[in-house]
Amino acid sequence: MVGSSHEGMHRVFQKDPGLVTRTCQQILHIPFPEPREFAVLNADLTEIEPVERRVDTLLRADTDQGTYLLVIEAQGKRDDSKRGSWAYYLSYLYAKYGWEPVLIVVTQSSATARWAARPIRLGLPGWHSLTVRPLVLSPDNVPVITDEKEAARDVALAVFSAMTHGRGTGAAAILEPLAAALETVEPETAVVFAELVEACLVDAQAQEIWRNLMAPVNYFFKNPVAEKVRDEGREEGREEERAAMVLRILEWRGIAVSEAVRERVTGCADLGLLETWAQRAVHASAAEELFVGSGPVGEALT
């Protein structure tokens, strides 16, 4: 017994599947190819067993024109199974939230970018029931940011530039301006950015350059002793703790510290100068090198 027009309107096609072909050809004037056979499948799309379906990053963007869901997928290589997955993600999100979903694919590979940019068309030739057109960010369209001022204007974009171009030899040219730009953001943010860049660098030369540039950052924020000092430095006595950090870096590296150097460091009340000395302590071959080029108050000890 058919209980409603809703049921009847679609079940007629179960009774005569060929009706699909005829209505498309004769009414909609769509050149539906002649099927060799039909099969009525289970229409229940409920997944009885839990199946994990997870996008890489999902963001909500509220704008004056409406709310959008940004589906961000990092793609390392061609994967034709994504044709179905991406279409599912967008359809599911639209059905669940009622907001327009936007698919953005990010990749370090030009070949993968060309593949990902191809529209995913589901349905009949010339009449697609669903079309997915990913937005693709890749080395082909992400700029190479090698200017320090430009990098400082948008540090996150400069970071993304280094990450996107991380598989090519050209990445090395981005790193020094980026390292300088990282000094303009909060230290904790700089550490996260630094680690993201390091994870995306494939070129051996670029990896070495970046590790050298980030040596002070890595020490200050990843070494347990330095981390403890940094946290304590947020309380009273920041100058004293920063001075202690300078001395501990030297001691950790096995560099002898004379009494004159110790007195000069512990007697300094300038946080900026102490930070400069801490950075130099990471690379110095002698404790006295901390003060070289520091101006009248920081002339080298003899």
Side-chain angles (χ1 to χ4, degrees), residues 20 32 34 38 45 59 70 77 89 120 160 251-252 254 262 278:
V20 175
F32 198 112
E34 289 291 341
F38 286 99
L45 302 183
L59 304 175
L70 307 181
K77 61 182 180 180
Y89 297 160
I120 301 169
F160 184 63
E251 292 168 0
W252 173 72
R262 188 177 300 276

Side-chain angles (χ1 to χ4, degrees), residues 185-205:
V185 301
E186 290 294 323
E188 287 80 3
T189 300
V191 170
V192 174
F193 281 160
E195 291 180 347
L196 290 174
V197 171
E198 183 174 350
C200 292
L201 293 176
V202 176
D203 179 69
Q205 180 187 13

Side-chain angles (χ1 to χ4, degrees), residues 7-82:
E7 290 289 316
M9 290 295 291
H10 69 82
R11 286 184 61 175
V12 64
F13 293 98
Q14 296 180 21
K15 181 63 176 178
D16 183 359
L19 184 60
V20 175
T21 306
R22 299 192 296 278
T23 53
C24 285
Q25 294 174 343
Q26 299 171 21
I27 298 175
L28 299 177
H29 305 291
I30 296 173
F32 198 112
E34 289 291 341
R36 288 191 296 271
E37 63 179 353
F38 286 99
V40 179
L41 304 179
N42 187 348
D44 187 357
L45 302 183
T46 302
E47 295 173 340
I48 299 175
E49 295 183 1
V51 176
E52 182 177 8
R53 295 188 184 275
R54 184 183 298 273
V55 300
D56 290 334
T57 291
L58 179 63
L59 304 175
R60 188 187 76 186
D62 297 319
T63 74
D64 293 338
Q65 286 73 41
T67 299
Y68 297 90
L69 292 173
L70 307 181
V71 180
I72 303 174
E73 287 277 278
Q75 195 67 29
K77 61 182 180 180
R78 175 172 177 160
D79 181 358
D80 289 331
S81 68
K82 289 294 186 179

Side-chain angles (χ1 to χ4, degrees), residues 140-164:
D140 295 335
N141 57 10
V142 174
V144 176
I145 299 178
T146 58
D147 179 77
E148 184 176 323
K149 292 183 178 179
E150 183 181 359
R153 281 195 295 269
D154 192 336
V155 178
L157 179 59
V159 168
F160 184 63
S161 173
M163 295 167 63
T164 305

Side-chain angles (χ1 to χ4, degrees), residues 52-57 71-91 103-107 112-113 115-122 130-134 136:
E52 182 177 8
R53 295 188 184 275
R54 184 183 298 273
V55 300
D56 290 334
T57 291
V71 180
I72 303 174
E73 287 277 278
Q75 195 67 29
K77 61 182 180 180
R78 175 172 177 160
D79 181 358
D80 289 331
S81 68
K82 289 294 186 179
R83 290 176 56 84
S85 296
W86 287 342
Y88 173 87
Y89 297 160
L90 301 186
S91 300
L103 174 61
I104 302 172
V105 179
V106 294
T107 180
T112 302
W115 162 79
R118 290 163 43 193
I120 301 169
R121 298 187 175 95
L122 306 180
L130 175 65
T131 300
V132 177
R133 299 183 63 189
V136 181

